[in-house]
Amino acid sequence: MSVAAAVTPPAVGAEAPGPRRAGRTPYLLLAPGLAVLAIFFVAPILVLFFTSLMVPVPGGDIGQFQPAFEVSNYTNAIREYWPIFVRSFGFGLLATVLALLIGYPLAYVIAVRCRSRPTLAQFMLVLVIAPFFTSFILRTIAWRQILADEGPVVSVMRALALLPSDGRLTATAFAVVAGLTYNFLPFMTLPIYASLERLDVRLIEAGQDLYAGPLTTFLRVTWPLSLPGVVAGTLLTFIPASGDYVNAALLGNPGTRMIGSIIDSQFFQVVDYPTAAALSFILMAVILVLVIVYIRRSGTEDLV
Amino acid sequence: MADVVSAPSGADLELQALSKAFGDMVAVDSVDLVVPAGSFFALLGPSGCGKTTTLRMVAGLEHPTSGRIRIGTKDVTATRAFERPVNTVFQSYALFPHLTVLENVAFGLRRRGQADATASAMHALELVELAHTARRRPAQLSGGQQQRIALARAIVNRPAVLLLDEPLGALDLKLRRQMQVELKRIQTDVGLTFIHVTHDQEEAMTMADTVAVMNAGRIEQLGPPAQLYERPTTAFVANFLGQSNLLLGDVQSQADGVLSVAPRGGADRRPMLVRADRCAVTSGRILVGVRPEKLHLIAGDGTGPGDEDVPAYTNVVGPGVVVDVSFSGVSTQYLVDVPGAGQLTVFSQNIYDGAGHRPGDVVRAAWALPHSFGLPGDQDASAGREAV
């Protein structure tokens, strides 16, 4: 026994670092990501939350606030800006629906119809991604040129009497929604492409073989199987589109302002940090609730 | 299950000069075919022979370049897949992953608006003995179970013609044998017209009433399995369906319905005898064929005492040298090299004590006259040998 006791401790000591190091490795690998999240997500959210409850320093300068627990910041913000919230989500929803109507057929053609011609499919995929090579702002400004009063779109629409002779597109709700749709189209197209690309075309053939016409086959087979991509694409479009302020600022007018523009001006022009922070929190909360309801209803809980 | 069994049996299928070309490549070359209602028909051939393309044209998933397709009394050539009274069991099964097993089976019934779709689907699941899996998703089932679900999904619709595209190809050997028996039982039960595409000649022979051997887009030969095996009419069929020894010769004379054929490459060798009614040609160059299990090996080179006592109506080839012996339990396969005639394959049943000859032994090969068959001598004697 004494020999065994004398031999065992060093053996344990020699073996121990191995398992212990292996146990630590995953956490070490996670550490950078967790640190980034803590510094750039959790900390700002907390700061924003405390800001949203602050009150102005009595007799202080503009932009001077002190800690408080002023819940009326939220109620005031909702009372004053609820129409803007409604408009933001309305524009976001409209842009999402339009992006789906454009993006789904596009993704379908690339992923299913061009499957036998991979080079063409890759080329079309590059075209979908190509706009990312230019700045988001620049592309939105380009839309001002396209929709300008002297631009080709307006001239054609006037000539076809789709627009009255003094009608315009810039600085309208149409321009804002068009800009949102355009800017977020790749976010809709790519996830749908990813799910359709995995679709087994033999399932479409099986549908046709089992007496389903083209429309029924689409509704019963293709659409349900592409639903994960559709859900991902609509979320990736709706969330940023609802909070966007670039399109509203560059393509809209004061009557088409979205909640993003209000938050922007509250922060940088009015310098009312608590209201801006409260608006940000309301936006986040509403989006979170909408997304949870949406995912539950579409039955793709595995995305959460 | 009773209503499934009592439903009407399938309909005739007729293909008239059916062709399909993909660009310059002719996949199916003017195929004429009549499959009678209620039969189990196998389309057998190596990969790329056009059998699957033929099947897809019948299903409506591929459009013929020319020719007509008739099901029952109706010409369906111009109709689309979902309009045809045809269902397919796909090689990959192609079960809908987002639907339950029951919904998969009920899919076709629902599309046609059948009132008791769920009940009929359950009956079909009972027929394939998988009713207990009704609520599961296809991915939760084994390959063999998925195969049976795919079959149930097709037969539940009572199609005029049921198409099976290598339905057992993805299963392991043991399960495949089991499913062959199962499929045959179900076909007998439901009495539908089954068209089974396969490259497995044993599978085709075991299951089908009629087998059509396809090669390079054409039907080489069509008939009951036993007829195809015993009396092939082309070298391709002789080699693809089982194995054959083919010996080239020239017809010398004909007497009492028996041809006497002089072997090529050996004037001193005995003439080979073959019945004229078992020959595709009766004059000129001819390939005399015999199946390996019909051959018997006789020890010695034929010069020993008593060796000339060969019974009448028996063919003898040799002497040759045994070059390979492989013992497989129930039988032994010998390769015998006969100068001037090439290598003969001989299967010898293990009735006595295993392999009776060793490599290097001098032997002759003999077979009874009725077992020879004759093929056109201008055909490639090795056609179809490597094709699988």
Side-chain angles (χ1 to χ4, degrees):
Chain A
M1 272 315 275
S2 65
V3 173
V7 169
T8 314
V12 167
E15 274 171 29
R20 211 187 295 152
R21 218 181 289 129
R24 238 179 358 221
T25 310
Y27 298 102
L28 281 173
L29 288 170
L30 269 178
L34 289 175
V36 166
L37 273 181
I39 297 167
F40 295 106
F41 180 70
V42 178
I45 287 269
L46 289 175
V47 169
L48 200 64
F49 181 68
F50 289 121
T51 309
S52 74
L53 296 168
M54 283 180 175
V55 291
V57 175
D61 278 341
I62 288 173
Q64 281 196 310
F65 298 92
Q66 63 188 28
F69 197 75
E70 191 61 54
V71 180
S72 67
N73 283 345
Y74 281 86
T75 53
N76 289 338
I78 292 173
R79 196 180 320 120
E80 197 173 338
Y81 293 112
W82 70 265
I84 313 249
F85 272 108
V86 171
R87 182 191 299 140
S88 298
F89 291 122
F91 281 4
L93 188 68
L94 208 52
T96 306
V97 170
L98 289 173
L100 180 64
L101 289 177
I102 300 167
Y104 196 102
L106 184 59
Y108 185 85
V109 167
I110 301 174
V112 180
R113 286 299 160 101
C114 292
R115 200 169 283 187
S116 52
R117 275 164 288 176
T119 320
L120 182 62
Q122 275 159 20
F123 175 70
M124 291 173 78
L125 212 52
V126 167
L127 289 186
V128 171
I129 301 164
F132 288 125
F133 294 134
T134 325
S135 144
F136 176 61
I137 309 277
L138 276 181
R139 282 183 281 128
T140 310
I141 292 172
W143 270 85
R144 284 168 78 164
Q145 308 296 316
I146 295 168
L147 299 177
D149 292 349
E150 319 77 46
V153 177
V154 170
S155 326
V156 168
M157 286 179 80
R158 280 180 183 161
L160 294 172
L162 292 170
L163 263 184
S165 56
D166 59 343
R168 53 191 313 219
L169 290 174
T170 38
T172 60
F174 174 86
V176 178
V177 173
L180 288 172
T181 307
Y182 161 75
N183 275 312
F184 294 106
L185 186 60
F187 297 98
M188 179 67 84
T189 310
L190 292 176
I192 298 176
Y193 165 79
S195 30
L196 284 175
E197 198 253 345
R198 288 196 303 264
L199 177 77
D200 186 348
V201 288
R202 287 171 295 196
L203 294 175
I204 298 177
E205 292 187 342
Q208 290 170 353
D209 187 67
L210 292 162
Y211 315 113
L215 181 65
T216 317
T217 303
F218 176 77
L219 292 176
R220 298 280 172 178
V221 181
T222 314
W223 175 259
L225 289 172
S226 63
L227 214 49
V230 171
V231 170
T234 47
L235 291 178
L236 286 176
T237 306
F238 179 75
I239 297 171
S242 302
D244 182 75
Y245 68 97
V246 171
N247 287 280
L250 294 176
L251 299 170
N253 62 46
T256 63
R257 287 196 301 169
M258 293 171 68
I259 199 65
S261 334
I262 303 291
I263 295 172
D264 175 56
S265 68
Q266 290 291 325
F267 262 121
F268 298 112
Q269 273 126 54
V270 185
V271 205
D272 183 354
Y273 298 143
T275 303
L279 286 171
S280 305
F281 261 92
I282 296 166
L283 179 64
M284 257 190 283
V286 174
I287 286 178
L288 209 59
V289 169
L290 289 177
V291 164
I292 288 170
V293 169
Y294 175 64
I295 290 177
R296 282 284 148 81
R297 292 220 41 177
S298 59
T300 43
E301 275 93 351
D302 44 315
L303 275 175
V304 189
Chain B
M1 194 156 18
D3 56 337
V4 175
V5 176
S6 63
S9 61
D12 292 0
L13 170 73
E14 186 177 353
L15 310 182
Q16 293 169 352
L18 195 68
S19 296
K20 175 71 185 180
F22 297 102
D24 290 340
M25 208 272 289
V26 179
V28 177
D29 191 1
S30 191
V31 164
D32 289 289
L33 191 63
V34 178
V35 180
S39 63
F40 199 130
F41 187 91
L43 263 180
L44 173 70
S47 40
C49 73
K51 58 190 192 298
T52 293
T53 306
T54 306
L55 194 80
R56 288 173 59 82
M57 285 193 281
V58 175
L61 299 170
E62 213 77 72
H63 292 286
T65 310
S66 63
R68 317 292 309 164
I69 301 167
R70 188 176 59 73
I71 294 172
T73 52
K74 199 163 161 265
D75 187 323
V76 297
T77 316
T79 62
R80 296 200 278 169
F82 61 93
E83 299 164 320
R84 296 191 187 184
V86 168
N87 289 115
T88 309
V89 178
F90 292 88
Q91 184 171 16
S92 60
Y93 315 140
L95 297 175
F96 303 121
H98 59 296
L99 300 177
T100 62
V101 164
L102 186 66
E103 282 305 310
N104 263 284
V105 177
F107 191 94
L109 299 172
R110 290 204 200 288
R111 300 290 81 75
R112 293 194 301 181
Q114 189 162 320
D116 56 346
T118 309
S120 301
M122 276 311 288
H123 280 311
L125 281 176
E126 279 162 22
L127 186 69
V128 296
E129 290 159 3
L130 282 174
H132 61 284
T133 66
R135 303 269 154 231
R136 293 192 214 157
R137 295 289 168 102
Q140 294 167 278
L141 305 182
S142 70
Q145 288 175 321
Q146 291 187 31
Q147 205 284 327
R148 276 142 73 192
I149 300 299
L151 182 66
R153 185 177 70 172
I155 56 175
V156 72
N157 303 300
R158 317 286 315 155
V161 178
L162 183 77
L163 307 175
L164 302 117
D165 183 8
E166 306 250 7
L168 311 179
L171 305 179
D172 62 58
L173 190 68
K174 203 173 160 194
L175 200 53
R176 196 150 71 213
R177 295 280 171 270
Q178 213 174 314
M179 282 306 300
Q180 285 173 8
V181 177
E182 190 83 338
L183 256 183
K184 184 72 194 161
R185 173 183 72 81
I186 289 169
Q187 196 266 338
T188 317
D189 276 7
V190 299
L192 297 173
T193 311
F194 274 38
I195 298 188
H196 184 139
V197 155
T198 181
H199 67 266
D200 182 336
Q201 42 105 0
E202 198 177 321
E203 189 172 299
M205 286 198 282
T206 323
M207 298 166 75
D209 311 322
T210 310
V211 176
V213 179
M214 271 191 92
N215 180 31
R218 292 176 166 277
I219 291 181
E220 288 262 334
Q221 193 179 352
L222 184 153
Q227 186 191 324
L228 288 194
Y229 187 78
E230 299 298 344
R231 254 227 61 191
T233 54
T234 70
F236 181 87
V237 175
N239 290 320
F240 187 75
L241 204 71
Q243 281 176 273
S244 292
N245 295 299
L246 300 177
L247 304 161
L248 189 58
D250 298 284
V251 177
Q252 275 180 326
S253 60
Q254 179 171 358
D256 300 332
V258 174
L259 300 182
S260 176
V261 178
R264 285 272 176 108
D268 56 328
R269 282 161 48 197
R270 293 167 58 105
M272 297 180 286
L273 304 176
V274 51
R275 269 168 42 187
D277 61 351
R278 289 173 58 85
C279 289
V281 290
T282 51
S283 62
R285 250 151 68 96
I286 189 169
L287 281 168
V288 174
V290 62
R291 296 291 188 178
E293 74 280 5
K294 308 274 169 41
L295 288 174
H296 301 278
L297 291 182
I298 308 165
D301 59 3
T303 54
D307 276 358
E308 284 305 313
D309 299 343
V310 173
Y313 300 115
T314 300
N315 289 311
V316 180
V317 170
V321 180
V322 175
V323 291
D324 187 60
V325 178
S326 43
F327 177 69
S328 68
V330 291
S331 66
T332 307
Q333 179 181 329
Y334 297 99
L335 274 183
V336 180
D337 196 25
V338 180
Q343 282 197 341
L344 299 181
T345 305
V346 180
F347 293 153
S348 168
Q349 221 186 320
N350 184 11
I351 299 170
Y352 306 111
D353 291 334
H357 306 275
R358 298 164 176 284
D361 284 1
V362 174
V363 294
R364 290 181 300 158
W367 72 93
L369 158 69
H371 292 149
S372 358
F373 52 85
L375 306 175
D378 54 353
Q379 290 188 352
D380 175 9
S382 65
R385 202 166 276 173
E386 298 303 322
V388 167

